[in-house]
Structures are given as structure tokens and as C-alpha cells.
Amino acid sequence: MSSSFRAPKGVSEYVPPRADLLYAVREAFAERARLAGYGYLELAVFEDTNLFRRGVGESTDVVSKEMYTFEDRGGRSLTLRPEFTASVLRAVLENNLHRGALPVKVWTTGPAFRAERPQQGRYRQFYQLDLEAIGSEDPRVDAETIAIAWHWYRSLGLTRVRLLLNSLGCKECRPAYRALLQDFLRGLDLDEDTRARVEINPLRVLDDKRPQVRAQLAGAPLMADHLCPACKAYHDRVRELLADLGIEWEDTPTLVRGLDYYTRTTYEFDHPLLGAQSGIGGGGRYDGLSEDIGGPPLPGIGFGLGLDRTLLAMDAESQEGGDVSFEARPRCEAFGVALGDAAERRMFALVDELRRAGIAADMAFGGKRLKGAMKDADRSGARYAVILGERDIADGVAQVKDLAEGEQTAVPLTGIVTTLKERLSK
């Protein structure tokens, strides 16, 4: 009988073998971040609520509607992190990492939380990969962050990912554009909440997904047409660098994303097979965020990639016949089957030896007979079974069986590790 308890609604949970794939996908990203010089951060899951109010923005849906906020026993208002960038920047400032070599290059991963209506690809607890480069205003850093994510997607076998690219200008050119956009939006037939947003942050209206709003935005002025010379030159340089790396993008002048802190380079990774929830990651530059949360002027750029949606994109391409060949390393490569007390003791030590040699190994427990133990070997997903009986011990050998081909050979106990390493490498 199963437990009467269930995971809360909208929580993204993973169990083997799906969790093995999630882990492997995350490890593949970790390696790409390491190769590019990004160090790992482990952050608090909850923060002072004002960090997100000031950093993410009061007018965003994230802050106004979606945060899990609670009061602790000391009367402090805390919030489960809805995103990572504000927390990463807080940690960098708090630990004075910005006083060393710049840019500070860091990455992190873990769950984030938003009180949204659960649906496919949109969860209340979801998993992200986050990467940030803080302290440098250099187009090459912008292109580097994009390239890390782009090549990671490609390494997973994803070929349908699209890079949408835009510039949101800077404090020099955005105010004039903001006023022009407000004049345009005030003339539309909008609901009361959206009209209030027009006055607080009109760019956020461009991110509205409702058809009745989007239909009215067809003639809206675009930031791309009102960039100052410095922002235009910066954006052109980012695009040149991406072209040098062979990375394709689509200019998307309506792209603003859902957070208030973005400036200049803004981008999103989109997967057309995921329908309405097609965004699988994105990021951009946030050159004023440090001051917004009480820090010194400190430019930065980074991204958040959705692990849940990335796995859904891999599923979608695979179902369409795509060559999504990325596979998690098996949890078990060799499975020990021991018959008798002496064999169980020797097998226990052999399994430990295999693991120390880098071979994923397991064995049958509970004193099972041969038939039951071999069933466990098949279920484990191992390529080989190592069978050891009392007679084998006397002869100084073990039987190594290829579970796919059915072939079985006697191998000296002293050569089991070497033999399996050779066979598994083929």
C-alpha cells in the first residue's frame, strides 16, 4: 500500500531513471562552465523579500503575483527565490568577490519557486541553471555567455533551439523611448492593471502574452529604432562576435523578457516544439542592478536556463525523430551475483574495488538464488554480470556474462577490473 502523502501540486520532481538524465544534463553544463572559467556558488534558497522587490521590480508579475513570501519567527519577511540573478549579485557583493579580478564569473543551480498555475513546462518548484559574469561591460562577455548556453544545448543533441536577440538600450537612450512608448500605449484599449503598468514600466507591456493585447501592439515603437550610438555600436559588436562563433540568431525587437533589470543585450532561447511555453532559457545585461540593491556601480550579464523545459525539449525532438543522442551514464555497468556466504563476502569486496576503479557497480542483496539475482542484474541496466560461486573461488575466477549477447567467459579474479574496463571502453 502506498503512502497517503503526495508531493505538493505543481512541484517538479524527478526519480530514476529520469533523474539520472537530469543529473547528467546538469553535469554537462557544469563542465562547460568550468572550461570557461566560471566558479560554482551554493546559495540560500530564501532571501530578504526586499532583495527581489528592489532587484526584480515591483511591476513584474514575479514580484506582484508569483512570489512565495512568508514571515519568520523573528517577524522578518522572507521569500523563496523566484530567480537567481539577484541572489548571485547579493552573494558577490556580500563576500567582496567584486574587489578581486573582474569579471567575477560564477554559476549555480537548484530549485526556484513561483506561485503560478501549474501546467506543462510551468511549475511552482522548478530547476534552473544560472550563470553570471559581473564587473565587465564588454561585448565579448555578452557573446561568451550566449555561446556557453548555445553549445550546451547543441551538446545535448538539440537542433531546433532558436536564439532570439534584442537590445533594451541604456539610461541615456531608454528614457526618451520610454516616454514615446507610453504615449503610444495610453491610446490603446487596455484593462486597468495594464494601464497602471504603462505608467510604472511600459516596456513590460510589450511582454504581455494575451492575444487581445498583442493585437494592439503591432504599431508600437521599438527600442531598436531608438538606440543611442553607443548602444547601437555595442549591439552590432555582440552580433558580429556571435557570427564569428557560427551562432545564428533572430533579431527580435519586441523581446523584453519578464524582469525589470535588463539593459542593452537581452536574449532568449526558444524551442518551437513546446507550444505556448516555448522559452527554455534566457538572459541579458543588468548594468544597474547592483545600485538597485544598494551596491556600487557594477555591470553584469548572465542567464537562467530551465532544466525542466530543456528535458521536455529533448523529449519533443526525440519524438519527432531527431537525433537527441545524449544519454546519462548508466547507474550500473557491472552487477555482481554471488552464490554462497564466502562468495558474497568476496563479491562485496570486488564491487568496492570496481567502484574505486571508476566502474559503476552493484550487486544482489538478501541472499537471493541465481534466478532472482540474475533478474536483478537485468533490471539494473548493467552491461555485464559478474557471477561468483564457491567453485569459482576455488579456481580463482569469476564468470563475466555479457547481458545483451548472453556470452559468458571465465576471468581470473585478479583481472576482473582490467577486463571490465577494457570491455566497457569499446
Side-chain angles (χ1 to χ4, degrees):
M1 182 177 179
S2 62
S3 168
S4 59
F5 291 101
R6 296 290 184 270
K9 186 176 182 181
V11 168
S12 175
E13 276 194 327
Y14 294 87
V15 299
R18 185 72 164 174
D20 297 330
L21 178 60
L22 178 78
Y23 179 83
V25 164
R26 186 172 58 198
E27 290 299 292
F29 179 85
E31 180 63 9
R32 293 203 167 268
R34 185 190 69 80
L35 291 172
Y38 288 76
Y40 181 69
L41 288 179
E42 189 70 43
L43 299 175
V45 175
F46 55 86
E47 300 270 8
D48 185 317
T49 300
N50 284 325
L51 174 66
F52 301 118
R53 286 178 177 161
R54 294 172 61 180
V56 177
E58 292 275 9
S59 70
T60 63
D61 286 345
V62 172
V63 172
S64 63
K65 300 178 183 179
E66 299 171 357
M67 294 202 309
Y68 280 104
T69 298
F70 59 95
E71 188 175 286
D72 71 1
R73 294 181 180 180
R76 294 172 287 265
S77 179
L78 302 173
T79 295
L80 297 177
R81 64 185 178 210
E83 60 98 49
F84 283 85
T85 301
S87 293
V88 170
L89 186 54
R90 186 270 306 155
V92 167
L93 294 172
E94 181 178 346
N95 293 280
N96 293 313
L97 300 184
H98 62 297
R99 298 188 185 278
L102 297 177
V104 179
K105 299 168 72 171
V106 291
W107 76 279
T108 188
T109 186
F113 307 85
R114 295 186 188 179
E116 299 185 290
R117 183 173 64 86
Q119 52 187 297
Q120 179 79 341
R122 188 177 287 273
Y123 306 103
R124 291 173 175 171
Q125 175 180 306
F126 53 96
Y127 294 91
Q128 280 196 336
L129 293 161
D130 182 271
L131 179 142
E132 312 288 348
I134 297 167
S136 176
E137 192 174 4
D138 187 324
R140 291 174 298 175
V141 179
D142 301 38
E144 177 182 89
T145 67
I146 293 171
I148 290 170
W150 179 263
H151 294 310
W152 174 67
Y153 284 129
R154 287 294 187 264
S155 75
L156 304 181
L158 292 172
T159 61
R160 300 287 296 276
V161 176
R162 301 184 303 166
L163 170 60
L164 312 180
L165 186 66
N166 193 24
S167 174
L168 293 180
C170 67
K171 62 182 179 181
E172 301 299 327
C173 54
R174 192 188 293 187
Y177 168 71
R178 183 179 186 275
L180 186 67
L181 180 60
Q182 281 179 316
D183 288 343
F184 173 84
L185 295 174
R186 286 168 184 150
L188 303 184
D189 181 18
L190 303 173
D191 60 88
E192 186 175 341
D193 287 345
T194 307
R195 286 189 175 280
R197 181 169 288 168
V198 169
E199 305 306 319
I200 299 171
N201 188 347
L203 272 72
R204 288 281 294 109
V205 180
L206 297 178
D207 193 46
D208 200 307
K209 300 298 190 293
R210 293 172 295 176
Q212 66 270 29
V213 176
R214 298 201 69 81
Q216 300 182 68
L217 296 175
L222 301 173
M223 186 73 240
D225 298 325
H226 298 275
L227 295 174
C228 64
C231 283
K232 186 178 186 306
Y234 194 99
H235 191 50
D236 288 344
R237 182 60 178 146
V238 170
R239 293 189 291 182
E240 288 172 359
L241 290 163
L242 292 176
D244 289 345
L245 299 179
I247 296 175
E248 299 178 357
W249 73 90
E250 297 178 22
D251 288 315
T252 312
T254 58
L255 178 67
V256 298
R257 294 187 52 75
L259 308 175
D260 282 357
Y261 50 60
Y262 286 117
T263 58
R264 285 193 170 174
T265 304
T266 307
Y267 56 91
E268 185 168 296
F269 296 103
D270 176 89
H271 200 285
L273 298 183
L274 296 188
Q277 306 300 332
S278 61
I280 61 175
R285 183 159 282 282
Y286 45 85
D287 292 344
L289 180 57
S290 179
E291 294 116 299
D292 289 343
I293 64 173
L298 198 64
I301 187 168
F303 59 65
L305 309 180
L307 276 168
D308 309 284
R309 293 191 190 177
T310 297
L311 263 60
L312 291 174
M314 294 171 71
D315 292 340
E317 286 205 28
S318 180
Q319 290 166 9
E320 267 211 347
D323 184 21
V324 183
S325 57
F326 186 88
E327 295 181 1
R329 182 178 177 182
R331 282 183 294 132
C332 186
E333 296 168 303
F335 193 91
V337 174
L339 307 174
D341 293 342
E344 285 183 353
R345 184 174 179 180
R346 182 67 184 86
M347 181 61 71
F348 189 68
L350 178 58
V351 165
D352 182 69
E353 186 180 354
L354 289 168
R355 291 169 179 169
R356 285 186 283 116
I359 297 172
D362 203 353
M363 65 178 292
F365 292 99
K368 294 183 179 179
R369 295 178 181 273
L370 179 61
K371 185 177 181 180
M374 291 304 295
K375 282 185 178 180
D376 285 351
D378 289 333
R379 290 172 183 147
S380 74
R383 282 183 59 186
Y384 296 97
V386 181
I387 306 165
L388 186 64
E390 304 293 343
R391 183 179 298 175
D392 294 314
I393 293 177
D395 294 339
V397 301
Q399 307 299 320
V400 176
K401 182 174 183 177
D402 185 320
L403 292 173
E405 303 295 331
E407 297 177 358
Q408 181 171 308
T409 56
V411 176
L413 282 169
T414 55
I416 292 291
V417 172
T418 301
T419 298
L420 286 176
K421 289 192 80 166
E422 289 176 353
R423 293 189 184 184
L424 288 167
S425 66
K426 295 178 180 179

